[in-house]
Amino acid sequence: MRKSCSLTLIASTVVLGTAVTGHAADYEPPIVIDEAPLVPVEVGSGWYLRGDVTYAANESAYDADLFGDEADNNRFGGSIGFGYHFTDLLRADVSLAYISSDEFDYDDGVVSISADHRVLGAMVNGYLDLGTFVGFTPYVGAGAGILYSMHEISASSAALGAAAEAVDRQYEFAYSLNAGVSYQITKNMSLDVGYQFLSSPGTKYVDVDAGTVEEGLDYHQVKVGLRYDLW
């Protein structure tokens, strides 16, 4: 009787152990997935600010001598703008520029003549950076935009008791070709020295010597400026 009970107990234990073992084999522990760390988004990454001083190396269209007096030609200008690095090689920027001005004043006590000519521009330029060598990055580029030209002239004669005044404003298409080199001064600051050919084929001006109205203004500009990357 005792032997039969022992066998029954052993058999039950084996069956129970087999069942538990089988159930344990079927059980898979839950997979715990750690949450990915939050990566802060760099606001402003790729954007940059720029400022340039320019000098028009070519003679002004109003480099004229009238009644023995010469026009005062200011060839210095400047520009400010902002841009974006699309890749390590490709970038573009938008700029507003004061390009040049010309002034003429004549007064002999009988006749008085005053003339003023100013040129401003708004341009979008694209650049291809050609790689960096020992901190120097040469580049080429091209752009398009609008050239604003203003002519203002006034004349009066005390002897005749007459006076006249005229103002002409033009907004014409302009394009540019650019080349230069930049040098990285700090992590975010670069010195930029370049050349820009700026042309507006439709802008009109007065040929003082010939007394005719001509069309097309060109500028050969030397540019020196700074770029600040907003990293």
Side-chain angles (χ1 to χ4, degrees):
M1 183 67 179
R2 288 180 181 178
K3 186 176 181 179
S4 177
C5 290
S6 298
L7 291 175
T8 302
L9 180 59
I10 292 172
S12 299
T13 303
V14 171
V15 173
L16 180 60
T18 303
V20 171
T21 302
H23 181 72
D26 294 337
Y27 174 75
E28 295 182 0
I31 299 175
V32 179
I33 302 176
D34 294 333
E35 294 185 1
L38 295 176
V39 179
V41 178
E42 293 184 78
V43 178
S45 179
W47 293 94
Y48 64 86
L49 302 176
R50 71 174 302 156
D52 299 273
V53 175
T54 62
Y55 177 77
N58 57 299
E59 291 186 354
S60 169
Y62 289 100
D63 188 14
D65 187 327
L66 187 62
F67 303 125
D69 284 358
E70 293 184 352
D72 182 14
N73 309 120
N74 175 30
R75 300 183 184 182
F76 285 96
S79 65
I80 56 173
F82 65 92
Y84 185 76
H85 292 273
F86 295 99
T87 67
D88 290 340
L89 301 179
L90 184 63
R91 59 186 171 86
D93 57 45
V94 178
S95 62
L96 299 176
Y98 176 87
I99 299 170
S100 67
S101 65
D102 305 284
E103 295 180 354
F104 178 79
D105 287 293
Y106 174 80
D107 191 345
D108 62 2
V110 178
V111 176
S112 176
I113 300 175
S114 177
D116 188 17
H117 173 240
R118 300 184 185 278
V119 181
L120 295 87
M123 302 293 295
V124 178
N125 289 289
Y127 306 92
L128 180 63
D129 292 327
L130 304 177
T132 301
F133 309 92
V134 199
F136 291 91
T137 306
Y139 65 84
V140 294
I146 296 175
L147 202 71
Y148 168 75
S149 177
M150 183 203 70
H151 301 79
E152 185 173 358
I153 184 170
S154 60
S156 62
S157 173
L160 299 176
E165 184 175 339
V167 178
D168 177 66
R169 294 182 174 86
Q170 302 176 65
Y171 296 88
E172 296 290 343
F173 168 78
Y175 68 90
S176 66
L177 300 175
N178 309 281
V181 62
S182 65
Y183 178 75
Q184 188 171 8
I185 302 173
T186 66
K187 179 181 178 181
N188 297 85
M189 186 79 72
S190 297
L191 174 67
D192 191 313
V193 179
Y195 162 79
Q196 181 181 73
F197 172 69
L198 179 64
S199 179
S200 179
T203 296
K204 298 179 177 63
Y205 68 95
V206 178
D207 186 329
V208 177
D209 295 330
T212 58
V213 177
E214 302 295 335
E215 194 173 51
L217 281 180
D218 295 333
Y219 296 91
H220 297 274
Q221 295 190 109
V222 178
K223 307 180 69 174
V224 179
L226 293 173
R227 293 205 317 263
Y228 183 78
D229 293 317
L230 302 174
W231 300 111

